[in-house]
Amino acid sequence: MPRNRGHAISRFFEDLSDGDPVALGLVTVLAVIFVGVGLFVLKVRRDLRREDEAKARKYGRKP
């Protein structure tokens, strides 16, 4: 097991470029997680904006 993190990272990318199933699976899982979190953040921001606009309309303020 390599002690140097740089070596471990370069080894990971070598394995990824060689098509190692574990490296591909790890990248796929991380990509799915990041996309899921990103979509969740966008939904929450949209919902909060709609809530603010609804409050502004209710109390007669302009958004």
Side-chain angles (χ1 to χ4, degrees):
M1 179 137 187
R3 289 182 160 184
N4 187 355
R5 287 185 188 164
H7 179 71
I9 292 171
S10 67
R11 173 83 190 262
F12 172 75
F13 283 117
E14 288 174 8
D15 291 344
L16 187 63
S17 67
D18 290 340
D20 182 37
V22 174
L24 290 171
L26 182 63
V27 169
T28 302
V29 167
L30 289 175
V32 167
I33 289 172
F34 285 132
V35 167
V37 169
L39 290 174
F40 179 74
V41 167
L42 288 175
K43 181 187 179 325
V44 168
R45 288 184 62 176
R46 184 189 66 194
D47 292 346
L48 289 174
R49 186 175 57 240
R50 285 183 179 175
E51 183 179 314
D52 288 343
E53 290 171 355
K55 283 182 184 179
R57 280 192 303 272
K58 181 178 179 181
Y59 296 114
R61 295 183 309 225
K62 294 193 178 203

